[in-house]
Amino acid sequence: MKIFLGPAGVPAGAPEKSTLGALRYLAGVGLNAMEVQFVRGVAMSPEMAEEVGREAERLGIRLSVHCPYFVNLCSPEPGKVRASERRILQSVERASRMGAGVATFHPGFYGRLSPEEALERVGEACLRMRREMERRGWDEVRLGLETTGKQRSFGTLQEVVEICRRVEGCVPVVDWAHLYAREGGRLDYAEVFEALKGLGLRHLHTHFTGVEFSPVGEGRGNEKHHLELSSDQPPFEPLAREILRRKVEITLISESPVLEQDSLRMKEIFRSLGYRFS
Ligand SMILES: [Zn+2]
């Protein structure tokens, strides 16, 4: 098993504010993962994506990408669904050039649909995207459906697992803070790993940060904003223990306000529990 730690996007400490600069900085401080952010659009050229891929490989950093936020695969307007698929596929294309394993996205919003109807729509969209990815030779990239932190967003753990069960090439991206917020501050790490068991994943891609949420009834909440790891909401150490106990090969992308500093804290916690980073 191997553990991959690093930030979402270019870290604050990187002297050179570019993806290449970020990779060199992360390798220097001893981190081995980074999620390239296309959340406001895919601004990186195809050539740069290839260069980033070569540099990441040289430095031993595992890459993933985060697709634009402006995505709704449950929209009642077919044009908006197609535009969402195009945005995801554009990120996938760059991910493929970079050698990134996962392209993460938030699937969409229920709107007027029932959860069952939304699940059908997301499943159909994922199937269309996977077919296109196979045609284009991008199919080694996984479509990563993220668990979401708000009641109106499609993406409970069960929903994400169900899509991944139905559509080959889709994987869950477990956002631990989102699960915690959505369930009103409840999060049983062992339960999550059990729910994922049937998928037979070789690698689990996840996001971690502390999070503030507003409760909306018994066992339900909406995420408000991200907090540092030291907030202990949710607590990181029990997760680290569960990962080591189950020997899960995992990536933990830090989305905390202090990004890479919290990745380094996670590294310390794993070390204190006896894990040795090579
Ligand atoms: Zn996300």
Side-chain angles (χ1 to χ4, degrees):
M1 68 164 293
K2 204 170 169 196
I3 294 169
F4 296 87
L5 299 172
V10 177
E16 193 199 320
K17 302 287 181 244
S18 67
T19 306
L20 288 174
L23 292 173
R24 291 171 196 139
Y25 168 77
L26 292 173
V29 298
L31 294 171
N32 58 359
M34 178 166 143
E35 189 147 291
V36 176
Q37 302 290 294
F38 293 147
V39 295
R40 282 175 194 85
V42 182
M44 185 184 284
S45 72
E47 296 71 31
M48 179 52 76
E50 285 173 12
E51 201 177 335
V52 164
R54 281 192 296 272
E55 191 66 353
E57 190 173 1
R58 186 178 75 80
L59 296 167
I61 294 179
R62 188 182 182 101
L63 292 176
S64 51
V65 309
H66 198 305
C67 303
Y69 288 140
F70 200 56
V71 157
N72 186 6
L73 300 176
C74 312
S75 172
E77 294 171 55
K80 288 195 175 160
V81 175
R82 295 308 166 116
S84 297
E85 290 174 18
R86 276 200 299 276
R87 285 187 193 100
I88 294 170
L89 288 170
Q90 200 189 6
S91 308
V92 164
E93 190 268 347
R94 298 297 192 277
S96 172
R97 287 178 189 268
M98 261 180 238
V102 181
T104 302
F105 62 95
H106 308 177
F109 305 93
Y110 302 109
R112 295 218 176 90
L113 301 180
S114 70
E116 294 75 22
E117 288 167 330
L119 190 114
E120 294 303 322
R121 302 280 179 92
V122 172
E124 286 160 17
C126 287
L127 205 55
R128 276 195 298 272
M129 289 191 286
R130 284 303 304 176
R131 288 205 189 109
E132 181 73 11
M133 287 165 71
E134 277 159 28
R135 263 201 299 276
R136 308 267 199 147
W138 306 333
D139 46 317
E140 77 287 7
V141 179
R142 311 281 97 175
L143 282 180
L145 289 90
E146 185 171 334
T147 60
T148 52
K150 288 187 176 149
Q151 302 295 325
R152 66 193 188 98
S153 305
F154 178 91
T156 63
L157 179 64
Q158 292 70 29
E159 286 167 343
V160 165
V161 166
E162 181 56 27
I163 298 289
C164 298
R165 196 171 280 151
R166 291 184 187 187
V167 186
E168 209 193 316
C170 290
V171 294
V173 173
V174 175
D175 187 307
W176 301 102
H178 284 166
L179 290 180
Y180 175 82
R182 195 174 181 140
E183 307 252 313
R186 204 194 70 89
L187 179 54
D188 182 330
Y189 295 122
E191 224 171 68
V192 176
F193 287 114
E194 287 301 314
L196 298 173
K197 241 179 179 173
L199 295 175
L201 302 169
R202 268 173 302 173
H203 183 91
L204 180 61
H205 189 73
T206 73
H207 292 166
F208 198 96
T209 175
V211 69
E212 172 109 39
F213 65 90
S214 24
V216 288
E218 185 62 30
R220 284 149 58 88
N222 287 320
E223 75 163 321
K224 257 162 70 186
H225 53 255
H226 291 182
L227 302 170
E228 293 187 24
L229 197 74
S230 57
S231 68
D232 249 9
Q233 300 177 48
F236 183 74
E237 196 186 301
L239 173 59
R241 286 184 190 279
E242 199 62 31
I243 290 165
L244 296 175
R245 195 171 73 77
R246 292 175 181 260
K247 300 187 170 51
V248 183
E249 163 129 346
I250 195 167
T251 298
L252 290 144
I253 296 294
S254 167
E255 290 190 331
S256 104
V258 294
L259 293 173
E260 82 278 19
Q261 291 175 40
D262 273 346
S263 292
L264 291 167
R265 278 189 204 125
M266 291 180 204
K267 189 170 177 177
E268 271 319 302
I269 291 169
F270 277 115
R271 271 205 186 118
S272 73
L273 296 172
Y275 179 80
R276 292 179 58 158
F277 289 86
S278 50

